[in-house]
Amino acid sequence: MHYMITIQSFSSLANRKYQFGKFEVGRFKWNLVLYPNGNKGKNVKDHISVYLGIADINSLSFGWEAYANFRLFLLDQNKDMFLIVQDRIGKEKKFHGLKREWGFDEFISLEDFNDASNGYLVEDTCVFGVEVFVKERNIVKGECLSVIKNITSFKHVWKIADFSWWGSYKESKLFTGGNHEWKIGLYPRGDSTTSSYLSLFLFLTDQNVKIYAAYTLRILDQVHGTRHETFVNNEATLFSDNEGQGLSKFVELGRFQDSGNGLLVMDVCTVEAEVLVFGALKSL
């Protein structure tokens, strides 16, 4: 038996809900719940209602679940034996955030309980108990999406000098946009999937958060001023920490290196990132 409660002066209990004890089984804390005159919320009359409940739910992870078999007891003090009330054998109950109690609305009639010959109430004292077997614990992973009401875009311009001296990868300094940290990553001679294109990506650098955002990547035309090499993604794209979003084949290297196109002039190019953050997705 995992928990017993002896109640003295039972007849003095008010007509309300009582929660007794906090005992731990299977890494969960439980309590015995008693309505001495019936659970009025379920229109119970002339009976005692008894339940098993999960306690301290605020300390549990989001999406918690517990499966348990349990038996409720009432002591017959005349015979020193227990009246046992339980669901059919083998049928466990699932406890979760929306169903934190299981038990019996009509555990015992007040007539039988108050009958002294039954031994349940002796000298206004009674003993209730509960035995719990936790069969399974399952944590459901969850996330919380916070949507931004007033959406504003932000831009970051990255001017790159001495471009031809670079190695295989270059990234910008961190910059802030939408209360999050970002960076631009550029592969001058393509990433692992190509060698004939320049590859350009936008990275979210925040940890343990995911961001929904639309974004635009550009290499500015320094000669004509009106033409740009541009990639636009207007959809709500999911960014996670240090996972790049962009194009492996952003611009063909021959076109990029031709100074007449204005993308690389005197070994200088200018990259621009524009981001519109819609919301943040955090794990719970």
Side-chain angles (χ1 to χ4, degrees):
M1 184 171 296
H2 291 109
Y3 181 77
M4 290 178 60
I5 178 71
T6 298
I7 304 174
Q8 299 175 338
S9 301
F10 182 89
S11 60
S12 299
L13 292 181
N15 185 19
R16 65 178 183 86
K17 176 181 180 178
Y18 290 87
Q19 294 174 299
F20 299 108
K22 285 184 182 179
F23 57 98
E24 188 168 337
V25 183
R27 296 182 290 177
F28 286 91
K29 292 182 179 179
W30 309 81
N31 53 26
L32 187 67
V33 180
L34 177 72
Y35 293 82
N37 292 289
N39 186 348
K40 303 307 179 186
K42 295 188 175 182
N43 297 317
V44 178
K45 298 179 181 179
D46 303 323
H47 284 78
I48 295 175
S49 303
V50 185
Y51 308 93
L52 173 67
I54 289 276
D56 291 344
I57 62 169
N58 291 332
S59 65
L60 299 175
S61 301
F62 173 83
W64 64 269
E65 293 179 352
Y67 294 82
N69 278 325
F70 65 94
R71 300 190 292 179
L72 298 171
F73 300 85
L74 176 60
L75 178 63
D76 178 346
Q77 300 172 64
N78 294 336
K79 299 179 181 178
D80 196 24
M81 297 175 60
F82 283 99
L83 166 69
I84 301 173
V85 180
Q86 67 183 112
D87 208 333
R88 64 184 181 87
I89 296 175
K91 184 179 181 180
E92 69 273 4
K93 295 297 186 182
K94 178 182 177 181
F95 294 79
H96 53 86
L98 298 178
K99 182 63 176 178
R100 305 192 311 236
E101 295 178 356
W102 284 99
F104 302 92
D105 299 331
E106 298 181 350
F107 179 82
I108 187 172
S109 70
L110 287 173
E111 182 180 357
D112 289 340
F113 178 76
N114 290 313
D115 187 340
S117 65
N118 291 325
Y120 301 133
L121 187 65
V122 176
E123 296 181 357
D124 210 18
T125 297
C126 58
V127 180
F128 288 89
V130 60
E131 189 174 34
V132 185
F133 301 91
V134 177
K135 299 193 66 177
E136 182 179 350
R137 182 188 186 195
N138 181 30
I139 298 299
V140 178
K141 294 182 179 180
E143 294 176 310
C144 177
L145 175 63
S146 299
V147 179
I148 297 175
K149 292 183 179 179
N150 300 316
I151 301 174
T152 57
S153 64
F154 63 92
K155 293 182 181 180
H156 178 75
V157 178
W158 179 27
K159 188 173 183 178
I160 308 165
D162 300 321
F163 188 89
S164 61
W165 290 89
W166 284 9
S168 59
Y169 176 72
K170 181 73 171 178
E171 64 184 30
S172 70
K173 294 181 179 179
L174 297 182
F175 57 93
T176 301
N179 296 321
H180 299 283
E181 294 291 326
W182 307 81
K183 66 183 179 183
I184 304 170
L186 188 149
Y187 296 84
R189 289 174 291 277
D191 61 8
S192 60
T193 65
T194 181
S195 60
S196 57
Y197 283 80
L198 180 147
S199 303
L200 190 61
F201 298 93
L202 177 67
F203 292 87
L204 173 72
T205 63
D206 288 358
Q207 301 294 314
N208 301 319
V209 65
K210 299 175 183 178
I211 301 297
Y212 281 105
Y215 66 100
T216 300
L217 293 172
R218 299 185 182 94
I219 297 181
L220 303 184
D221 181 344
Q222 303 171 69
V223 174
H224 308 92
T226 56
R227 297 201 302 266
H228 312 289
E229 196 68 28
T230 303
F231 171 70
V232 180
N233 188 336
N234 288 322
E235 297 181 356
T237 303
L238 183 62
F239 287 82
S240 57
D241 50 336
N242 285 314
E243 181 178 343
Q245 299 286 352
L247 282 181
S248 295
K249 295 183 178 181
F250 186 83
V251 58
E252 199 271 328
L253 286 178
R255 169 174 165 74
F256 174 74
Q257 293 167 352
D258 185 345
S259 60
N261 293 319
L263 303 179
L264 183 65
V265 179
M266 299 181 66
D267 213 23
V268 175
C269 74
T270 302
V271 178
E272 181 181 87
E274 184 175 358
V275 185
L276 191 66
V277 175
F278 299 121
L281 190 66
K282 294 184 178 181
S283 299
L284 300 174

